[in-house]
Amino acid sequence: MAHIPMNEDISGEESATFDIIQHGHKDLVQAIAFNAYGDRCATGSVDGKIRVFNRHQDGIWRLCDNWKAHAGEILELQWLPPTIYPNLLASLGIEGRFRLWAEDPSAAPGRRFSSRDGNGKTVTDLRSGRSPYRSFSVKHDEVTRCTYIALLAADGHLTVYEGEEPETLTDYAKFDDFQVCAKPSRGEETCFKVRFDPNPEPCYTALRAGVPMDALSLVVSGLTMVKIFRTRDTVTSTFGAAARGREFYLAAEIGEHHHLVRDVAWAPGNYRGYDMVATACQDGLVRVFRIDTPFSKDDGKTWSLSHILGNAKSDEHSTSRSSQSRRQSQVPSGIRAEIDKSGTHGERTSTDLPGQVKHAVKLLSKLSAHRSPVWRVDFDDDGQILGSVGDEGKLMCYRQLPDGSWAKSSELGMMKARMTAPPTNVG
């Protein structure tokens, strides 16, 4: 592998607002991700390579490392929280492999993520035996120090993994798996996306309605459907002993889309008392939805912590959510074990099983600023700004109005400027 110039200045024109970065890939850049602090950037190319850049104190972005991560196109990238040591980067390739890359802080520049042969140092490598994975999302619980990985395959099957031990990022056990939508027909154009709720815990109205404090939440899109899933507490019997478990149930289904859904995003900042989900659709519209969990004002509860959390604080083991109790929660009953072996989990439907909380969906806004197919949508870290990118290559930004709806606030597009010589007067 050729020497990588670590001191190479990859900034182009100096600007007080934007940095134009020469990424250095030999092919189209398909995925990009920033870390939580915004000072590290990872790019993934169609040639299967990942390049990591660091922003130094002088404001210049410099190459940290690059390596061959996948055999083909890189679909998605995600940095794990900086509270995990060492820094970790997750990637998904077109071949369907999910990989987790760990940085070696003691290594020389150019070898932080890669080895001498130019290949990366993988911590975890997951792949499906059924259909290739097409989307992923990673969530790290700061309380239990456990990491969860959601992987959505090309046949509409969702698999969620949980770290077997806190702080252990190499061994994962299957947490739950089920079908989120019907398997697409052969030759049909498809698109699948999955995203975890980025908030550390459900909003306070959801807690009062009965959602457990440690509940996991997912928004999943497949073809034209968008669904919200949440976990409920279950009790299984193993050799006569009761053990606590969790499984996903269908909390809400959004039926507003009649064209392919290209991307979904869950808004941070659920202090509003409700959640928000945004979608990017092939029909050129960005839709923003409000997710509520209605509760009865006559439920005999107040907004005190003890009432909102119910018995969660009274049980020491439930509060601590120790690794031992979490491992016990994954021990299945005999019937459940046989179902797991069969690998034929069907679609989850809304039923009245214990622990399921009713959710209500309301369309807040239909945004048509792009007037072309929309490919990407995401919120900022506070959930105050929504951004989307369409076929025309422009970034549209939206802000929420006092009435709850969203409106376009700014637009960013790249334009090529041709330099011309000033006219001269011939006297």
Side-chain angles (χ1 to χ4, degrees):
M1 177 176 158
H3 174 68
I4 303 174
M6 292 297 109
N7 294 325
E8 175 187 1
D9 182 354
I10 61 173
S11 295
E13 302 175 8
E14 292 188 1
S15 170
T17 307
F18 300 102
D19 292 329
I20 300 177
I21 297 176
Q22 304 296 330
H23 52 71
H25 286 283
K26 302 299 183 182
D27 213 325
L28 182 70
V29 174
Q30 183 72 12
I32 185 169
F34 286 87
N35 69 345
Y37 298 129
D39 57 3
R40 305 199 79 177
C41 175
T43 58
S45 174
V46 173
D47 61 8
K49 289 187 177 181
I50 295 177
R51 294 169 72 90
V52 174
F53 303 95
N54 293 338
R55 189 176 189 272
H56 292 251
Q57 293 183 354
D58 56 5
I60 297 177
W61 290 87
R62 292 187 175 90
L63 181 65
C64 170
D65 200 354
N66 79 353
W67 68 96
K68 183 71 173 180
H70 294 273
E73 175 183 348
I74 294 176
L75 300 178
E76 294 181 355
L77 294 170
Q78 180 183 342
W79 287 95
L80 270 68
T83 54
I84 304 176
Y85 183 85
N87 288 327
L88 293 166
L89 177 65
S91 66
L92 179 66
I94 191 68
E95 78 282 1
R97 284 181 178 269
F98 169 85
R99 286 173 173 169
L100 203 58
W101 312 92
E103 181 182 23
D104 183 1
S106 62
R111 296 288 182 266
R112 294 291 181 88
F113 292 89
S114 61
S115 54
R116 291 183 179 275
D117 58 1
N119 295 319
K121 306 170 185 176
T122 57
V123 176
T124 300
D125 192 333
L126 299 173
R127 74 179 203 175
S128 172
R130 302 161 55 109
S131 294
Y133 292 129
R134 286 293 174 260
S135 182
F136 80 90
S137 184
V138 181
K139 183 179 179 66
H140 182 70
D141 192 324
E142 298 292 347
V143 177
T144 64
R145 309 297 296 172
C146 285
T147 304
Y148 300 89
I149 303 172
L151 295 162
L152 184 56
D155 60 354
H157 197 83
L158 178 67
T159 306
V160 181
Y161 290 93
E162 177 186 23
E164 292 188 349
E165 295 286 345
E167 300 287 357
T168 301
L169 299 168
T170 56
D171 300 319
Y172 289 88
K174 186 180 291 186
F175 179 87
D176 200 354
D177 70 313
F178 53 92
Q179 196 75 18
V180 298
C181 66
K183 185 177 180 180
S185 304
R186 183 183 297 272
E188 182 181 4
E189 185 180 7
T190 61
C191 188
F192 297 93
K193 293 291 180 180
V194 58
R195 295 291 181 263
F196 271 110
D197 174 10
N199 297 287
E201 60 188 34
C203 63
Y204 60 90
T205 55
L207 293 174
R208 179 165 176 175
V211 175
M213 190 171 64
D214 62 347
L216 298 175
S217 305
L218 286 168
V219 55
V220 183
S221 70
L223 306 180
T224 61
M225 73 85 199
V226 178
K227 295 180 179 179
I228 307 292
F229 294 95
R230 266 186 164 143
T231 56
R232 67 183 183 96
D233 291 338
T234 62
V235 177
T236 59
S237 178
T238 306
F239 302 110
R244 176 180 178 264
R246 292 188 295 173
E247 70 173 12
F248 282 95
Y249 67 93
L250 178 61
E253 184 170 1
I254 302 173
E256 288 282 337
H257 306 86
H258 303 288
H259 296 78
L260 214 58
V261 178
R262 291 294 185 183
D263 200 10
V264 293
W266 193 306
N270 56 9
Y271 49 81
R272 307 175 183 87
Y274 58 87
D275 290 291
M276 283 190 298
V277 170
T279 62
C281 191
Q282 185 76 12
D283 60 5
L285 295 177
V286 174
R287 294 174 173 87
V288 186
F289 301 91
R290 169 174 170 164
I291 314 297
D292 286 291
T293 48
F295 60 90
S296 174
K297 295 183 179 180
D298 300 326
D299 56 5
K301 298 180 181 179
T302 65
W303 288 110
S304 66
L305 186 64
S306 60
H307 282 179
I308 293 177
L309 300 183
N311 296 325
K313 291 291 184 181
S314 63
D315 189 350
E316 180 181 355
H317 298 286
S318 297
T319 305
S320 63
R321 292 179 288 170
S322 64
S323 60
Q324 180 179 359
S325 65
R326 186 63 72 206
R327 288 197 302 271
Q328 291 176 352
S329 71
Q330 299 304 313
V331 179
S333 64
I335 297 177
R336 177 62 184 271
E338 291 302 318
I339 296 176
D340 287 340
K341 290 178 183 178
S342 65
T344 57
H345 289 170
E347 293 188 42
R348 299 287 166 89
T349 58
S350 297
T351 58
D352 294 327
L353 294 175
Q356 293 191 2
V357 177
K358 181 181 178 182
H359 291 64
V361 179
K362 178 185 177 182
L363 177 63
L364 292 179
S365 296
K366 280 186 180 181
L367 306 168
S368 58
H370 285 285
R371 302 185 184 277
S372 65
V374 189
W375 290 86
R376 294 288 185 268
V377 65
D378 204 358
F379 291 91
D380 71 334
D381 289 342
D382 296 325
Q384 302 292 330
I385 301 176
L386 174 65
S388 63
V389 177
D391 240 3
E392 79 285 358
K394 293 182 178 179
L395 170 64
M396 304 291 183
C397 293
Y398 315 88
R399 287 184 179 271
Q400 193 173 21
L401 301 178
D403 62 357
S405 63
W406 288 74
K408 177 182 171 182
S409 62
S410 60
E411 174 182 328
L412 174 63
M414 299 292 291
M415 299 179 61
K416 290 185 178 179
R418 180 174 296 177
M419 303 297 294
T420 58
T424 57
N425 296 325
V426 179

